[in-house]
Every structure is written in C-alpha cells, then in structure tokens.
Amino acid sequence: MERIDNLFHSYANRSLGMIDPEGIETLCSDMEVDHTDVRILMLAWKMKAEKQGYFTLEEWRRGMKALRADTVSKLRKALPELEKEVKRPSKFEDFYSYSFCYCLTEEKQKSIDIESICQLLDLVLGSHFRAQVDYFIEYLKIQSDYKVINMDQWMGFFRFCNEISFPDFSNYNPDLAWPLILDNFVEWMQSKQT
C-alpha cells in the first residue's frame, strides 16, 4: 500500500491532493500509452473514477490493488489483462455505461454533444461493432434533430448493436421500445440501401 501511495504522490497535484489531467498525461507518457487510448478509460473504470481527468487517492488505491500494481511497469503489464476483463460481456455493458457517465463533466449534466458522442462511440464500441458504429456516426453527423445524446439513447444503441441483425434489420421492430433516434437511424439506413 505504501508503494501504491508513493506512486500516487509522484503524479498528484499537491495543492489539489489528487492526480489531475497533467498528472494523467505524465503517467500515460511513463507507461508509453497515448492519453486518448481506450485503456486509460478502462483504467478509470477499474478505479471507479468519478471525475473525468482526475484520480483521487481512494480511487487510485482501489484500481492499483485490483490490478496488483505498485509500479508503472506493473501497471503497464496489467493493461492487457484489464482489456480482457472489460471485453467480457458481463463487464463490457458496465464499462460502456460508465464511459458515458465519465464524460458528463458538468454538475446535473444528463447528455453529451453529438461530436463528443461520435468520438466516444468510436473509442468504446468501434472495435466491437465497426459497421454499426461507422454508419451511426455518419447518421449522427448529417441529421439535425438531435444536438445531444442522453443515457437512454446511448444504452439503446448498445442493445441495438447486440440484438439487431445488421445491415438488413430483419428483426428490427419499430413498435418495440427503441429510442426514436434509432427508428430514425434505421429509416435513414433503409433509404440509403434502396
């Protein structure tokens, strides 16, 4: 625990008493991982970090203990295992949901702008459902009905990717409780295909 705490303090902003965005960038640099790498988001998920770009000592301890890491080298070596853990279906939905909440940076914020959502979808879901994500991002960029996406729509798209036959949509039923944005997306895709 002492080594975990010492490692924390080597990256922490002393006046804040936590690791801030600058500290995270230094940590990433030391681990030779880009700060925009999805594994950094996975690390935040493992720590159950509440505020984007910041790790408290408690969050740090939680994550490091779970990963059995008390050095940068051990942390870097733990990343492939962390990736495997997150990719398990039982854990991935929790990670997907967490990634949305982690990007809510303002108090009482309930939705995320389309541009940020497009980046987040690509980062979090792109490797699982490449075609669906690419087409949905294309749709989000050209449509004008939605300026933001909420949690219900975010989780709805995840369910959609898991349940709906793509790209033929043969099992899509608009009468079921899908968020309206997904009905609109399917209509847009079908009109593209004809």
Side-chain angles (χ1 to χ4, degrees):
M1 188 58 90
E2 193 181 332
R3 286 206 302 265
I4 288 174
D5 287 7
N6 289 342
L7 192 59
F8 173 85
H9 292 296
S10 70
Y11 293 105
N13 174 321
R14 289 200 199 306
S15 61
L16 291 175
M18 59 174 78
I19 298 176
D20 63 2
E22 203 176 295
I24 290 175
E25 281 198 34
T26 306
L27 172 66
C28 291
S29 170
D30 291 350
M31 288 196 313
E32 297 167 4
V33 174
D34 192 282
H35 71 279
T36 61
D37 190 303
V38 71
R39 293 172 299 177
I40 300 308
L41 185 56
M42 291 173 179
L43 185 59
W45 169 78
K46 194 69 180 172
M47 291 183 188
K48 295 183 174 78
E50 283 182 22
K51 189 174 180 200
Q52 188 178 20
Y54 296 86
F55 296 148
T56 65
L57 178 57
E58 186 186 336
E59 293 165 348
W60 180 261
R61 284 174 175 165
R62 182 187 300 131
M64 294 300 133
K65 276 185 0 196
L67 295 168
R68 293 190 204 91
D70 57 11
T71 66
V72 171
S73 160
K74 285 180 187 172
L75 182 55
R76 186 175 42 236
K77 286 183 183 133
L79 292 179
E81 263 321 298
L82 178 58
E83 266 186 291
K84 271 190 214 158
E85 179 188 349
V86 168
K87 286 183 176 169
R88 283 187 210 122
S90 61
K91 302 277 184 172
F92 188 78
E93 187 170 355
D94 185 59
F95 171 69
Y96 181 79
S97 165
Y98 171 84
S99 64
F100 182 90
C101 297
Y102 190 62
C103 290
L104 299 173
T105 52
E106 305 296 318
E107 202 158 327
K108 296 195 168 97
Q109 183 182 348
K110 298 221 182 310
S111 54
I112 299 174
D113 67 277
I114 293 294
E115 189 183 333
S116 300
I117 280 292
C118 291
Q119 293 170 347
L120 194 59
L121 277 171
D122 187 48
L123 184 71
V124 176
L125 208 54
S127 63
H128 292 262
F129 299 102
R130 183 79 271 155
Q132 291 94 319
V133 168
D134 287 346
Y135 280 114
F136 194 52
I137 287 174
E138 184 184 340
Y139 170 71
L140 289 174
K141 286 180 176 175
I142 60 127
Q143 60 79 37
S144 55
D145 297 329
Y146 299 89
K147 303 264 180 274
V148 295
I149 295 291
N150 64 32
M151 180 63 129
D152 186 48
Q153 295 162 327
W154 175 256
M155 294 310 293
F157 185 65
F158 179 70
R159 210 181 95 223
F160 177 90
C161 290
N162 278 293
E163 295 175 16
I164 301 303
S165 172
F166 192 86
D168 67 3
F169 307 109
S170 57
N171 62 342
Y172 185 79
N173 179 350
D175 298 332
L176 295 177
W178 292 105
L180 183 60
I181 193 169
L182 292 175
D183 293 335
N184 297 346
F185 170 60
V186 171
E187 276 177 33
W188 175 78
M189 281 293 295
Q190 289 170 331
S191 69
K192 258 177 85 86
Q193 291 166 352
T194 54

